[in-house]
Amino acid sequence: MKSSPPIPVTILLPAMLLSACAGKERLETAPPVPPQSTLVEAHREPDAPPFFTEPVVQALAAPAPVAIAAPVFAAASPARPAGPPLSRVAAANREAVREPSREAWLNAVQVYDWTQGAIYRLYTAPERVSEIALEPGETLVSVAAGDTVRWVIGDTASGTGATRRTHVLVKPTAPGLSTNLVIATDRRVYHVLLESNSGAAMASMSWSYPQGALKVLDRSGEAGPLPAERVAGISLERLSFGYAIEGDDPPWRPLRAFDDGTQVFIEFPEALAQGEAPPLFVSGEGGVTELVNYRLRGRYYVVDRLFATAELRLGEGRQQVVRILRTSAGASGRRSRKGGR
């Protein structure tokens, strides 16, 4: 095999330069090397903090509470009667006053029905002593008068044991005086309105009590309290005093009548025991009167039924007749303050 002759250097050099020009798009020109005097030593900068950092918790003082006013509602006040307070007090006192009544006299003694909160009138006169008799067995605790300068107030007692009775004595020093008296006992409180005049004076006043009607007589004739089983079935709140007493005025004329819803009680004065007791007739259907069964217990007739009209008759020829009329029915008549008068 025959070898090729060598290529001269002068031919190779231009060829190499042409090849370099053809690939200049792929080659980058190397940057010039700066002079040694301008070089500075490099130092590493600290790393930049990350973009998200840990939250910083800082305790803040709580704001002061803000007071919120509560809504204001107008309080509903009960309706009050018209007029100034003092006029209402005077009106209430006038309505509470109990005056002496014709039917309540027992000889010279005015016998009031005792009612809680009532004011009882006592008419007096100078140089006359008026007596206030309490219930037998009642113990006096205190007596207070509004005017102790122009009124002489004292007390005494009569009887012994269970029949012992306290008497409060009253005497004015001049006519035209007025004051009040408060008597406190171991059972109740009495309010008395004292008035003096130059004319007549009440010799005595006392009371009758609804509790007195709730007593029975045993066969020996001695009064005693109702048995416990009967007391439990009778309530004072159920008593109705809605009865009127009309007709003649004999000594035995009843003081009052009342019922407990099933029985009627007719109370007579003490004079009943000194004479003949009148029979009781009740008006039935058609207004026909008929004799009714009843029992005598002390000063009381006890009728085992209710009635609208009844009559007490006594005497020959011209009879003395007293009528008892029921003025209220059911609960509407309970605890009537003026019934039986």
Side-chain angles (χ1 to χ4, degrees), residues 280-301:
L280 177 68
F281 298 86
V282 171
S283 297
E285 296 182 0
V288 179
T289 58
E290 55 186 18
L291 189 64
V292 66
N293 293 327
Y294 59 90
R295 302 183 305 278
L296 177 62
R297 293 290 183 265
R299 295 187 294 116
Y300 295 88
Y301 280 6

Side-chain angles (χ1 to χ4, degrees), residues 87-112:
S87 66
R88 298 197 294 269
V89 172
N93 289 339
R94 286 193 302 269
E95 294 177 1
V97 173
R98 301 293 185 264
E99 297 285 355
S101 61
R102 181 179 63 88
E103 299 84 358
W105 286 105
L106 179 60
N107 295 325
V109 180
Q110 172 70 201
V111 183
Y112 286 108

Side-chain angles (χ1 to χ4, degrees), residues 113 239-246 255-266 303 305-310 323-330 333-334 336 338-341:
D113 288 331
L239 295 182
S240 171
F241 290 83
Y243 291 85
I245 310 296
E246 299 178 353
L255 301 177
R256 74 183 57 77
F258 55 93
D259 69 75
D260 63 356
T262 58
Q263 295 177 316
V264 178
F265 301 85
I266 304 173
V303 187
R305 53 166 288 190
L306 302 180
F307 55 78
T309 305
R323 287 177 295 277
I324 304 174
L325 307 176
R326 191 179 188 186
T327 59
S328 62
R334 303 294 124 187
S336 173
K338 298 182 180 180
R341 290 294 181 200

Side-chain angles (χ1 to χ4, degrees), residues 29 46 55-56 109 194 197 233 261 277 288 323:
T29 305
V56 178
V109 180
L194 304 178
N197 62 88
V288 179
R323 287 177 295 277

Side-chain angles (χ1 to χ4, degrees), residues 91-213:
N93 289 339
R94 286 193 302 269
E95 294 177 1
V97 173
R98 301 293 185 264
E99 297 285 355
S101 61
R102 181 179 63 88
E103 299 84 358
W105 286 105
L106 179 60
N107 295 325
V109 180
Q110 172 70 201
V111 183
Y112 286 108
D113 288 331
W114 186 84
T115 303
Q116 178 71 33
I119 303 174
Y120 304 95
R121 180 97 63 178
L122 177 63
Y123 291 98
T124 64
E127 301 180 1
R128 297 289 185 271
V129 176
S130 297
E131 172 223 2
I132 302 173
L134 305 184
E135 187 179 20
E138 192 170 14
T139 301
L140 180 65
V141 176
S142 65
V143 178
D147 183 355
T148 58
V149 175
R150 297 177 295 177
W151 292 82
V152 180
I153 310 294
D155 65 88
T156 185
S158 63
T160 58
T163 62
R164 179 182 174 85
R165 193 168 193 178
T166 300
H167 308 267
V168 178
L169 308 178
V170 178
K171 184 177 75 170
T173 59
L177 303 180
S178 178
T179 189
N180 71 310
L181 189 69
V182 179
I183 304 172
T185 73
D186 61 340
R187 298 178 183 176
R188 56 187 66 89
V189 176
Y190 301 89
H191 297 271
V192 181
L193 183 59
L194 304 178
E195 287 194 13
S196 67
N197 62 88
S198 57
M202 295 171 60
S204 178
M205 63 178 284
S206 64
W207 289 268
S208 62
Y209 309 90
Q211 297 87 341

